[in-house]
Amino acid sequence: MPQNSFHGAHYLGQGFRMLTQKGIKRFVFIPLAINLTLLSIALIYVISQVGEWTDTINNWLNGLGAFEWIMTLVSWLIWPLVIVGVILFVFFFFSMLANWIAAPFNGLLAEAVENKLRGEKALADQSLKEILKDVPRLFGREWTKLKYYIPRALACLLVLFVPLLGALLFPIIWFIFNSWMMSVQYIDYPMDNHKTPFDKMLADLRNSRGGTLGFGAMVMLATMIPLLNLLVMPAAVCGATKLWYEHHQN
């Protein structure tokens, strides 16, 4: 099983290379369209709100009273870190929303990738009725992931209330946590196709924590790069499925 971050990180690149392969590319279009729409909305929202966020942070720094002189000295570091943390939050929220909507199609994409890796025949085109029949189970799985995510995300947000250190540590903690969640999100697609229980899936990922975080960190970084982020969701499904196939399927 992958034990270091590099072994997990390079699977996203492999996922990008698989997007146009025969037997896979026709399952990429719908997740790609959903991701394109929602990340475009996220980008427009971030651009429109940066000025307001800047004013809010400056007012917060100016209102710290006894800590004001300390905050003035380190504001050059705190300001960009907080902004980066907020941007990470926004992009992760929209990525999570995209994954909810695209869950049935991401499951099909993961299945197509697995068949390709096994050298089996490509999936036959499925009817809308067959896809819709599986939607309640897939949304139930997404709800399980959301219940896992919310209390841990709130715990991370509490770090912001720690004077001085909170603003410095939050972007780092938030990035590491969401790197983990990106791996949970995408590696779960092939595991869910094989009806692997959610707790069993988490245990498998913890046994290769370095590779898991490496893959998730690359997904997080790619999500923040304009244009590249439009392809991240289907590429992450492909890469995660290959990671699962080579290291977790047993």
Side-chain angles (χ1 to χ4, degrees):
M1 300 178 78
Q3 294 300 320
N4 61 63
S5 296
F6 175 76
H7 284 164
H10 82 283
Y11 279 98
L12 181 62
Q14 294 189 31
F16 277 107
R17 288 193 290 271
M18 297 180 76
L19 292 179
T20 57
Q21 291 185 10
K22 184 178 179 181
I24 293 176
K25 58 185 177 182
R26 70 175 180 270
F27 295 98
V28 169
F29 176 74
I30 294 179
L32 181 62
I34 293 170
N35 204 41
L36 171 64
T37 302
L38 289 177
L39 284 182
S40 297
I41 293 171
L43 183 60
I44 293 170
Y45 177 75
V46 166
I47 293 173
S48 68
Q49 294 297 313
V50 164
E52 184 176 334
W53 292 339
T54 302
D55 292 340
T56 300
I57 293 168
N58 286 333
N59 292 335
W60 174 62
L61 291 173
N62 293 331
L64 288 175
F67 294 102
E68 183 176 355
W69 68 274
I70 299 176
M71 300 303 286
T72 301
L73 291 175
V74 297
S75 61
W76 62 272
L77 178 61
I78 291 176
W79 186 88
L81 283 176
V82 173
I83 287 292
V84 167
V86 172
I87 291 173
L88 284 174
F89 180 86
V90 170
F91 274 106
F92 183 82
F93 173 79
F94 278 92
S95 295
M96 183 173 64
L97 182 60
N99 278 294
W100 266 74
I101 297 171
F105 307 101
N106 284 338
L108 286 175
L109 176 57
E111 190 176 348
V113 171
E114 182 184 344
N115 283 1
K116 180 78 171 180
L117 294 172
R118 294 188 188 279
E120 298 175 357
K121 286 186 177 181
L123 285 171
D125 290 330
Q126 292 191 336
S127 68
L128 180 61
K129 182 178 179 180
E130 290 173 315
I131 294 172
L132 292 176
K133 188 169 63 176
D134 214 26
V135 164
R137 182 185 63 80
L138 291 168
F139 279 177
R141 186 75 167 206
E142 293 301 313
W143 174 244
T144 299
K145 282 184 272 191
L146 187 61
K147 288 191 294 184
Y148 175 83
Y149 171 78
I150 289 176
R152 291 162 179 80
L154 291 176
C156 290
L157 291 172
L158 289 176
V159 174
L160 280 172
F161 293 95
V162 178
L164 187 60
L165 286 178
L168 295 172
L169 293 177
F170 172 71
I172 300 169
I173 293 172
W174 188 251
F175 182 83
I176 293 172
F177 168 64
N178 284 293
S179 294
W180 170 261
M181 284 304 306
M182 284 293 184
S183 283
V184 169
Q185 179 67 51
Y186 289 108
I187 296 176
D188 185 57
Y189 288 121
M191 288 196 172
D192 183 47
N193 283 344
H194 287 268
K195 307 300 188 290
T196 303
F198 186 74
D199 291 341
K200 173 67 166 58
M201 183 269 295
L202 289 177
D204 287 349
L205 296 187
R206 291 189 189 106
N207 287 335
S208 57
R209 200 179 298 269
T212 298
L213 286 172
F215 174 76
M218 287 302 296
V219 175
M220 282 291 291
L221 290 171
T223 300
M224 293 184 290
I225 300 174
L227 299 182
L228 183 65
N229 59 11
L230 303 178
L231 298 170
V232 166
M233 184 165 67
V237 174
C238 294
T241 303
K242 188 169 185 182
L243 191 157
W244 165 85
Y245 179 79
E246 295 182 355
H247 299 285
H248 293 283
Q249 64 170 314
N250 294 326

